[in-house]
Each structure stands twice: as structure tokens, then as C-alpha cells.
Amino acid sequence: MGTEIHGYCDQRFSRVAAAFARHFERGEESGAAVCVYQGDDIVADLWAGYADQRAGRQWVRDTPCLTFSCAKAVTAVSALRLAEAGGCDLNAPAAGWWPEFAAAGKERATGAQLLSHQAGLPAFRDPVSVTEAADPAAMAARLAAQPPEWEPGSAHGYHALTYGWLTGELVRRLSGQTVGEYLAEHIAGPLDLGLWLGGPAEVISRAARISRGPTPTAAAQDSNDPRDAPGPPGRTGAPGRTGAPGSSDPRAGVITAAVSAETADLARRAFGNPDPTSVPGGSNSVAVLSGGWPASGLLATAGGLAGFYRHLLAGRVVSPATLRDALAPRVSGTDKVLGVRTAFGLGFMLPSESFWVPRAAQQGAFGHVGLSGAIGMGDTSRGLAIGYVTNRMGNGAAAGTRAARLVSAVYASTG
């Protein structure tokens, strides 16, 4: 008996429902949800499977799920909103609002460079515990004192975890709030979005449980069905490549696929410190889910994630001018951490090897992916907003291709 798919899907977007259902049929999902807006209209809002398979708890419409690096876009928008209100000039040195950041040769680094992975601080120099990671002031102080890996602005490299405390410090300095507090008061609360950075106990108690799960069926891996391979394997679920042969940790794929020992070392430090797996429960632990890690700790419902991009496109979060500026490419080329071509605006991934989108989306797509395979994205040219969340991390290409199939189905439905 197949997994029952719940929710609503406009007949015009039946391809989305079909792709979503196939993931369950092929054993690629435990629990997941996808939501799509066209303008302000919901055209797909689907969920299925288990939020916690061990406990037998079913996924429901408002199940929150850890979306990992989808957090970066939310944190960046919080900073953009404050800058727009006159809090700072992002093209001026960050030391203007963060004097301590001028240390160790970073006095000319700009706010825009912090928001576009150019700061040269992709990893902490010294070990950081999960407990310490819940203190944004302490994390920011570490980064302010640390010398950069490269001269800020001279190159770019994915700041997997440090991005949140660099960009989040702008939010903290200008608002007096953590990113999670600012998000709740100024964005998620007023717009009624299921988004949390530092989840309260009630939200954590009903969150989906992240699982590695078994490798997908041989049929799923060896399919000749063109519907199952709309984009390059492994390019969507996590920045760079996800998964590695024999590994249950998707971060391992980023490291083993590195083009050089130097890149592998940088990736290892960027993705693994602080390490959520160092505490009991790992990414499911209260310590991690309540810690408010602003680069990787976003709990979101599919509707909340899609709704975030819907409201961005409508000018309800920041002005259209601020969004246009944020989507202007700031960097594009080989990433010093991932070793593949990446492209970033201010906080957003743009179409590249690490953010695969179909040809029809190349002109207007922006957003961010997460290590699990989650994706949040918008499209300025088509008025589309998409949120996909999953609690099955996936192995190898499975993490990335699930989102790629769903996104491809959305665009195929729009003609």
C-alpha cells in the first residue's frame, strides 16, 4: 500500500503532485512537504509520510522541519531589512557598525562582502562547542578577532556555518535582537509564517525528526525515466555535492569531492565546527534546534518557506529596489570551499552548479538550498515561490535530485 499524499494541488500543477508521490513510491522519502505559490495563489500544498517514523507520528500540514542552510536567506533578509531602514551602508566597511571586526587585516571588509561569502572567514580557527554556538555575541567575537583565510573581497568561498554569525551580527548590533528574535517580531510573526531560528519548546516538540534512512531502491538509483533526472545529480540538496560512497553523513561528500587537499581541509573545517553530531541526538537535539544557528538552524514548514519568498516577491518584507540590489550577482566562479562554481547575491544563491534550476528559471530564480535537500526559492520573472522540506537526508545524488525534480515539475507546469 502506497504512502497517502495529503493536501491540495491545482490540476495545472499535477506534475508536481506526481513527482512528489514518486519519491515516496521509490523509498526516497520518509516525510516531506512541498508548497508552491504563483503570485499570491497557492497552486500546490502537499505533505506525506512520517514526521517521526520511530514514534509513528505522521507528517501534518504545519509540521516544522530543520532546513539547514535555507536559514542563510532568512538571516540575510533580516540584515537587508535593517540596512534598508538606514541602519548602515552595506558597501561601507563593516567596522563602521562592528568596530572589533577591523582586527587582523579586516578593516576594509564591507557588509556586502560578509553577505556574499567574501569575508575570508569560512571556518573557525579554534574548536567551538554546540553550547558555545548558542551565544551569538561570543561567536561574533571569535570571528572579529580571527585573521581571514584570504583578503576580504579578493575571492569567495562558502561560509557554511560562520555566515550566520557574521551576517547575524549586523542584525544584533542594529536591532539589539538575535536573528531569531528579529525574525519572529518583524517577519514571521506579522506575516504568519512557519519559520523559526531557535525554536521554542512547543515547535521543537512537533518538529520532524531528521533521519539518514536507507539508501533508495535500486530502481530509484538506476531509473531510465527522464522525469527522474531533470538536473545534474547532487547539485541541489547541498552546496556542491551531497553524500559520499559508504558515508551516512552528507557533509562527507563535500569533503571527498574536493578538488584539492587545501579545499578539502577548508571544507572540513567550514562544515564541521561546530559539529551538531557531537551531542546526543545531533541535529534533532534540543541544543541544536533551540540554539538559533543563523546559517543552518532554520525550522520551517513548507508553507512558511514558500510564503517567505512569496512575500519577498510582493515587496512585503523589503522593498523591490532592495531585493533587486540583493539579487545582483556579487560573485561567480570557483568557490574556495566547495571547489565548484557558485554564484551569490546578498544572501541568495543564484543559478550555478550549487543551485541548479531548469533553463526556464535561469533569468529570475534565486533562493537557497539546505543539506537535507530542502529548498526555498523565488522567481522574479514568473512570480513563483517554492518551499520543499524533508526529514530524509538522502545518500549520494538522492538529496539533490528530489528538489530538482520538484522544481522542474513546477516550471513544466507553467509552460
Side-chain angles (χ1 to χ4, degrees):
M1 183 175 178
T3 301
E4 183 178 358
I5 307 299
H6 302 274
Y8 162 78
C9 187
D10 187 300
Q11 183 60 36
R12 295 172 299 152
F13 287 79
S14 60
R15 292 180 180 88
V16 178
F20 186 66
R22 279 198 300 275
H23 293 163
F24 286 91
E25 292 166 5
R26 299 155 70 86
E28 295 178 358
E29 298 281 24
S30 174
V34 61
C35 182
V36 183
Y37 281 91
Q38 189 173 45
D40 281 333
D41 297 325
I42 291 182
V43 295
D45 188 14
L46 304 167
W47 62 93
Y50 288 97
D52 185 343
Q53 192 159 9
R54 297 192 313 179
R57 178 162 56 91
Q58 297 286 327
W59 198 292
V60 295
R61 186 172 187 263
D62 64 348
T63 292
C65 187
L66 184 62
T67 60
F68 297 90
S69 285
C70 293
K72 290 180 175 66
V74 173
T75 294
V77 166
S78 299
L80 291 169
R81 196 171 184 275
L82 285 162
E84 176 185 81
C88 70
D89 177 1
L90 291 175
N91 294 313
W97 47 266
W98 185 2
E100 299 88 343
F101 193 73
K106 304 190 299 297
E107 63 277 358
R108 296 197 300 178
T110 67
Q113 289 167 355
L114 269 61
L115 266 68
S116 55
H117 299 271
Q118 299 183 74
L121 296 167
F124 287 100
R125 179 181 53 195
D126 301 316
V128 177
S129 71
V130 168
T131 299
E132 291 172 303
D135 183 346
M139 301 297 274
R142 282 175 176 260
L143 292 168
Q146 188 172 309
E149 299 280 346
W150 61 82
E151 180 183 352
S154 67
H156 75 283
Y158 189 64
H159 289 49
L161 298 175
T162 57
Y163 185 92
W165 292 294
L166 290 168
T167 302
E169 189 63 3
L170 186 155
V171 176
R172 202 176 70 85
R173 296 257 171 169
L174 298 186
S175 72
Q177 297 176 299
T178 66
V179 181
E181 291 167 344
Y182 186 87
L183 171 66
E185 182 175 339
H186 299 282
I187 300 175
L191 295 174
D192 193 25
L193 298 175
L195 302 172
W196 301 267
L197 274 168
E202 181 274 330
V203 171
I204 293 173
S205 70
R206 55 188 179 86
R209 182 177 181 82
I210 298 295
S211 65
R212 304 286 185 231
T215 301
T217 64
Q221 293 177 317
D222 300 328
S223 172
N224 292 317
D225 187 340
R227 297 172 301 177
D228 294 326
R235 299 297 195 194
T236 307
R241 304 160 176 93
T242 61
S247 171
S248 63
D249 186 347
R251 297 173 303 175
V254 179
I255 298 166
T256 58
V259 297
S260 68
E262 180 183 8
T263 302
D265 175 66
L266 202 50
R268 185 179 296 107
R269 290 187 287 125
F271 281 86
N273 182 31
D275 182 3
T277 68
S278 66
V279 297
S283 294
N284 295 304
S285 68
V286 172
V288 171
L289 296 179
S290 66
W293 297 16
S296 61
L298 183 71
L299 282 167
T301 65
L305 197 54
F308 173 73
Y309 285 91
R310 164 204 175 193
H311 290 301
L312 268 180
L313 290 170
R316 301 184 188 111
V317 185
V318 295
S319 72
T322 293
L323 182 60
R324 281 195 301 272
D325 184 60
L327 299 185
R330 302 299 171 121
V331 291
S332 179
T334 301
D335 190 292
K336 289 181 73 69
V337 174
L338 300 177
V340 299
R341 181 182 167 274
T342 58
F344 296 100
L346 298 181
F348 297 108
M349 287 181 156
L350 303 176
S352 64
E353 286 186 77
S354 63
F355 186 63
W356 184 88
V357 293
R359 187 182 300 276
Q362 291 287 324
Q363 295 303 310
F366 67 99
H368 219 290
V369 298
L371 191 65
S372 61
I375 188 170
M377 63 173 285
D379 186 324
T380 57
S381 64
R382 296 188 177 230
L384 291 168
I386 304 170
Y388 161 66
V389 301
T390 174
N391 63 357
R392 170 72 63 80
M393 292 295 285
N395 294 317
T401 54
R402 289 172 298 175
R405 292 169 189 153
L406 292 168
V407 171
S408 292
V410 171
Y411 279 87
S413 301
T414 63

